Amino acid sequence: MMLLSVSSTLLFTAFLCYLVATLLFGGAVHDKKQQQQRSHKRFALWAVIVTVLGFLANVGYFLTRWLYTGHVPLSNMFEFTTAFGMFIVGAFLLLYALYRVAALGLFVLPVAIIIIAYASMFPSEVEPLIPALKSYWLTIHVLTTVIGEAILAISAFSGLIYLLKVIDLKKRSMERFWLEFIMYTLVVVIGFVAVTTYFNMTGYEATYTYVDKEGEQASITYATPPLIGMHQYEAQTTGHMEPLAATPAWINAKKLTTVIWSVLAGTLLYGVLRLVFRKRLAAVCQPFVQKTSLPLLDEMSYRSVLIGFPVFTLGALIFAMIWAQEAWSRMWGWDPKEVWALITWLYYASFLHLRLSRGWEGKRSAWLAVGGFAIIMFNLIAVNLIIAGLHSYAE
Amino acid sequence: MQCDCGHKNASGAQLCERCGKPLTTDLDMRYDGAVIRSKTKKKTFIDKIWALFANVKFGVLLIVLTLVAAALGTLLPQVLFVDTSKFASEREAYTAGYGVFGTLYYDIGLAYLYNSWWFQTLVLALAASIIIASIDRGVPLFKTLYNQHVVKHDNFLKRQRFTLTVKADAMTFDEATAVLTKKRYRVRTDGDSLLAEKGRFARWGPYINHVGLIIFLSGIMLRLVPGFYVDEEMWVREGDTTAIPGAPGYYVKNNEFILETYDGERVEDAVNSVAKKYETQATLYKGELLAGDTANLERVSDVSIEVNHPAKFDGYALYQMDYRLDELKTMTFQLNDKTSGRSFGDVTIDLANPQPRYTLNGGASVTLDGYYPDFDGFDGDGAPHTKSPNPNNPAFLFTMYTPKTPQGETSFTQIQKTTEPLGETRYKMTFKSAETRDITGLKVRKDVTMPILLVGGIIFMCGLMIGSYMSHRRIWVKQTAQGFVLAAHANKAGFAFKKELRHVSEQLHVNAFHDKQEKEGDDDAS
Ligand code: HEM
């Protein structure tokens, strides 16, 4: 138990370090006054030091949890998502060592914070492993994959900064809309964290029985007020709201309800932020990115795909096949998780090939990089929680 | 294409073949100005097909189509993952599970997407495109890179991203050679020109990875050839010796199947506990099984087959895939007089091998007139019916003979219940006990293509790393009347190269290289 509490303390320390480092990176790129070169450099140095400390604490969390559970802590949503946040910071440090772009930290760290906060909404209990998951190859496969995804993700941040710099936010355009949509999505994730934390603290519970896809009776407990009911639901507990609608058997209404709550809270929060800043969130970020060179951002985005793609290939395809061969007797079975790893891989292969053609560097490439991150997040969230195949971590 | 120097060049040339002057306004350094077949020959039908498949945009289109198709296949589970056993047809299972959308999904063939001819054609086209594009560019690229002239046209140097001019007395060729050699460049000079180069091998990365990919895909295709690939399933009951399908001459005996859970150690029933281990302890035999006689089989080895730890022999592998617990093995009945309770002794029926007649004590005997291993009711004309050959719910039609009832009495006996279809009987077969055993579900695999896939995968990874983690860097120096003209090119990671160039110019005590991509006022990598 000692180890486990040390482990969570370290994770919390990392979380705090990232928060502080974000502010320091803000100081390093803020461009209110000119001629601040020296102070910018000092801020950047401290920001990096604090980030490295946070990352070390984060690795400490990972190793102590590993020691405690006896298997690599990547076996459920909480562990996997936390590790993803951690490796994103690691990948950022790698790219920072190569390019020293402080603005990157200002965007990567808040997202890492949001990802770790999102992860901690999932149960963090230590669970025993089912036999199929007990394999060195699985450990190597998942570890390499998540590191590869984290490096690939950096290209999206680089792309995002590129877009913030080049897109004219004064003119109405599709680009402006989608850029703002990215900001909105981040706020919705914060909405999810807020809603989940709130109802966790109030200890909300509502239990229903329902009829599942196979026509059998099952029971489910909501942790948020049930906006949408399960197929042919019947309340088992009292004193909570009546669902507004019911879903067909193949839709999980509990998850749908969580999504709706997150969107509601996120939209509210977004509205408040808009009122406070009196401009688009993209416009709020824009002053921080002005000093970074566009070709540098473009190269950084391309380079992180170049570095991450082989790692991802090794982890998500090659090691995955070796593991599947050992565990399931076939190296490939068109299981949804496998297919989505293939899709991610094909996507980045297209990205690399499109860059061979003229006109696909710069802005288009930046959009593609952002799209890649969307696919990775889709893998993590939707494929794990909704499409769920053989090796689903959820539930 | 005529150059200013008067030389007539083949169409498509980017550099003059005689003087090396760039002929087009934008010089594509990716292929060093080499003439690429698909860009020049566009006459015949074959040229056109070649050009299409060599086109990277077309290649990307194929990759994207594959990607989209693969994604469509995950909208709903493929047939493989759907439990269709409760429905009359697969189509109905989709309708019941996913409504109209499910029916539609099944009807347009998306439920079998990855085995469909069009998906496989797509992958084949992708392979063709990789091969053609690689030959189309790889061959000319190889030729130019290995026949590089040290002397370059002034315009060629001016077009590079990094350029620098220095005064005649600022440096010498010897100094430049010394500095660049220390940075591990290979330096060649030719008259008034110098070429320093490193990491040329990086240019082969993409071609090597494409070759690996093609080898891998060929391995997959080879699986269609009979004998290259075996994929069978088998069930073996505890104590039984069963021929291994797909592996002629091999037999496996299931000595014991073990299921362990986390809370209890070995348990018989694992409904509510988390499984920890599935294991079959087995013995492998070789030879020929004659009339069920195992005596002439040769024992090969005792093996343990666990999830994640298949048993391997002679190119085959046995995987633990499934199990059934507690299948009935034998059932024991007692023949009783219903009123006095007097017993004639026990009959033990081996369900795998039931006998037609059993003899009891005191002159009694029983004949087994019908055995229904998985009884599920009577047909329209009253005959008992079995759902499967597995003893899930055995029922027996007995005729009981005793000294008092020499013509025999008929009894239809199940574990829980006895019926007397031909009138009330004096005697009864009473269920006493049963023995059970577990069955293990194994998968038999043989894959001769595995080494091919492995080699393909390794070559692919090597190529990928060479192409991604190395870069091809060149620096040209040319002495002119006014001084020196320098130019530099890296095939990727320009900013990383720029750092190196900065060191080079510092060590030569000359100005920094000019970067065409740099804009004033930007924070730069430094
Ligand atoms: C999924 C299949 C494919 C994979 C994984 C793949 C992989 C790669 C990689 C990693 C590179 C290096 C990219 C870079 O350095 O930025 C590359 C380059 C290239 N690929 Fe592919 N490729 C695939 C399919 C194709 C197809 C279908 C074509 C056909 C048009 C093609 C043509 C090329 C060309 C022309 C290059 C540039 C070579 C050079 O720089 O000299 N590839 N490929």
Side-chain angles (χ1 to χ4, degrees), chain B residues 231-466:
Chain B
D231 176 11
E232 304 274 355
E233 279 166 28
M234 68 187 297
W235 291 94
V236 196
R237 299 184 160 83
E238 275 175 343
D240 277 5
T241 305
T242 308
I244 302 178
Y250 282 102
Y251 296 83
V252 63
K253 178 171 183 206
N254 178 356
N255 299 320
E256 191 182 1
F257 174 77
I258 300 161
L259 168 61
E260 269 177 35
T261 60
Y262 277 100
D263 43 8
E265 274 305 287
R266 291 183 184 191
V267 287
E268 292 302 301
D269 185 20
V271 179
N272 285 318
S273 36
V274 181
K276 185 172 168 196
K277 180 165 112 175
Y278 306 104
E279 179 186 359
T280 304
Q281 292 184 345
T283 309
L284 289 169
Y285 293 98
K286 201 173 170 175
E288 207 177 343
L289 192 70
L290 295 170
D293 183 6
T294 54
N296 49 4
L297 288 179
E298 179 199 332
R299 194 177 142 274
V300 179
S301 60
D302 287 326
V303 292
S304 144
I305 309 168
E306 268 184 72
V307 173
N308 272 332
H309 301 286
K312 295 181 179 163
F313 65 99
D314 195 25
Y316 293 91
L318 286 177
Y319 292 86
Q320 182 68 52
M321 289 303 284
D322 206 348
Y323 63 93
R324 270 192 242 130
L325 294 181
D326 303 332
E327 188 191 67
L328 288 167
K329 179 173 188 248
T330 63
M331 287 176 77
T332 304
F333 295 93
Q334 194 171 52
L335 181 60
N336 294 120
D337 186 325
K338 277 200 312 206
T339 43
S340 73
R342 180 173 164 241
S343 154
F344 289 95
D346 297 346
V347 174
T348 295
I349 302 173
D350 178 355
L351 297 179
N353 189 19
Q355 303 297 314
R357 182 185 170 89
Y358 298 88
T359 316
L360 288 110
N361 309 330
S365 69
V366 181
T367 58
L368 181 55
D369 302 323
Y371 167 47
Y372 312 96
D374 197 0
F375 174 70
D376 68 340
F378 297 92
D379 291 351
D381 50 4
H385 181 256
T386 181
K387 200 161 62 180
S388 76
N390 305 322
N392 298 332
N393 180 28
F396 307 87
L397 189 61
F398 291 120
T399 310
M400 305 167 286
Y401 299 93
T402 63
K404 295 236 174 77
T405 54
Q407 326 72 345
E409 290 182 328
T410 304
S411 160
F412 188 74
T413 309
Q414 293 165 254
I415 295 185
Q416 302 289 353
K417 190 166 117 191
T418 300
T419 7
E420 288 149 8
L422 302 182
E424 197 169 330
T425 59
R426 173 167 181 173
Y427 295 93
K428 177 182 173 196
M429 291 290 276
T430 315
F431 171 72
K432 250 185 92 180
S433 64
E435 260 184 75
T436 62
R437 59 180 168 180
D438 302 333
I439 322 177
T440 184
L442 302 177
K443 187 141 232 176
V444 190
R445 276 291 162 103
K446 175 183 175 177
D447 196 347
V448 182
T449 67
M450 207 48 94
I452 304 178
L453 301 182
L454 204 67
V455 167
I458 290 173
I459 293 179
F460 176 75
M461 265 321 291
C462 289
L464 203 54
M465 295 204 292
I466 292 167

Side-chain angles (χ1 to χ4, degrees), chain A residues 302 306 309 345-346 349 352-353 355-356, chain B residues 30-31 52-60 62-63 125-127 129-131 133-134 137 141 203 205-207 209-210 213 460 464 467-468 491-492:
Chain A
Y302 177 41
L306 271 179
F309 188 71
W345 186 73
L346 289 173
L352 288 174
H353 286 88
R355 280 199 69 106
L356 302 176
Chain B
R30 189 172 302 283
Y31 302 110
L52 178 66
F53 277 80
N55 185 337
V56 176
K57 292 232 174 84
F58 180 72
V60 170
L62 291 174
I63 299 178
L126 193 60
S129 176
I130 293 173
I131 295 173
S134 300
R137 289 141 206 266
L141 181 64
R203 300 292 284 272
Y207 299 92
N209 90 43
H210 287 166
L213 213 52
F460 176 75
L464 203 54
S468 309
N491 74 324
K492 53 185 38 133

